[in-house]
Amino acid sequence: MSKKSLKARENLMAKANEQLKFLSNGVFEDDLPTFKTKLSEENQFPLKPNKLEILQINLGYMCNQVCAHCHVDAGPDRKEIMTKSTMKSCLKVIQETEAHTLDLTGGAPEMNPHFRWFVEEASKAGIKDFIVRSNLTIIEANKRYKDLPDFFKKHKVHVVSSMPHWTEDKTDHQRGKGVFNKSIKALKKLNEVGYGMPNSSLKLDLVYNPSGAFLPTNQEVMQRDFKEKLIANFDIHFHQLFAITNLPISRFLDYLIASENYEDYMFSLVEAFNPAAVINVMCRNTLSVSWDGFLYDCDFNQMLEMKIDSKIQHINNYNETKIQDRAIKIHQHCYGCTAGAGSSCQGNIT
Amino acid sequence: MADYYEQKDLRNFGKITEWSEELGEKFFDYYSKVFEEGKLTGREKSLIALAVAHVVKCPYCIDAYTKDGLQRGITKEEMMEAVHTGAAMEAGANLVHATQMMKKYKKLSH
Ligand code: SF4
Ligand code: SF4
């Protein structure tokens, strides 16, 4: 597994336009319908947002890990980090928005030097659900992150963390050597301060995404299996498991192409298209803010540099009413959100 | 044999209904019913299917149930044990015929 991002390796798939070009051609020229065609067949084109419920802010692409399938192409070599001044613009919006959920992501959001300040300030806005997507190993990465469980607890943050499998080899294969054991240690620390314990209000949810070119199965069954194994093997507790489909972009797209799984994967996604999932795709109630303050329909569109289709494209000119009157930008990667039970940052959507 | 067992042909499995709609659909209904969670879990059925896929040596089924196992979070060790179970059954079914050979041998020998 490479220790560098696609960008640092100057890989073609680091470029948004190359990814989009790839997703426009090949199987989508003759064999498979484009996402737009599919939506039109369902009378769902153009896709329009509903009320804004989730504001997702990406604090930067820097990460202590370089996971094989990262859709952000994050890693230690990524220097894109949100500045304090952009955070201030975000705070203004957080205070005014009607959204009930604030979702901080990255990279490893904790690596942003202003992360703690931002969490402290944002938590004052009284948003109902305040999520931090923590990759777990960050807690073990350096002593300055050791107190994160207490810090999260102090601000009643809802922790959502990735865990591809309950076995070491599968987890390490996807996320890097040693990640499984560090994640287990971090989970234990979170459990110790009360996170994820039965009936605890300190929410700890896990995200499962398949460690290869296949789709996730039934979320409830996976949750049952994860709980059984993590309790039996490590006495680790968590609340919910979100099963997320890998979208064919960035490092996962690169992997699909290199392993010659791309065509089959796209056929699987299209075959599993579920019209019921279209109703709830996350871009309909979410807005994604990038490290440099631009607005996107979702984190995936952010990585494909597809800014929202609105005159207002930056957090500095934020106007919720105007922004909500837009068409969502779609492309073939969207099939990842509508396959089977559907997929979003909060797991299944049907 | 070049155009036998091309991986992408599996995608066309559903098209068998085009040349016999009733029988094809009855088969697919039955097939999907069998694989629903029942007294056996979907996971258990997937492992049985993988073992049988090897016994009947169907490349499509091997691909399909390896992927199905991965989707269900079944480990490679569990998959390999399932394949051995099928293999042991095949070997057993073969070897048990040795009793016939022994019987015949004894009958024919003085
Ligand atoms: S921890 Fe998350 S952001 Fe970091 S490389 Fe892995 S998937 Fe990407
Ligand atoms: S990829 Fe983004 S824009 Fe496309 S359906 Fe999913 S959430 Fe919506």
Side-chain angles (χ1 to χ4, degrees), chain A residues 35 247 281-283 297-298 300-301 328-330 333-334 337:
Chain A
F35 194 67
L247 263 65
V281 277
M282 66 176 171
C283 46
D297 301 297
C298 69
F300 304 112
N301 283 8
I328 292 163
K329 283 196 180 163
I330 53 156
H333 64 296
C334 298
C337 295

Side-chain angles (χ1 to χ4, degrees), chain A residues 178-193:
Chain A
V179 165
F180 182 75
N181 287 329
K182 279 189 200 156
S183 303
I184 292 292
K185 273 193 196 161
L187 285 170
K188 274 197 176 304
K189 288 184 180 161
L190 286 163
N191 278 174
E192 274 164 25
V193 301

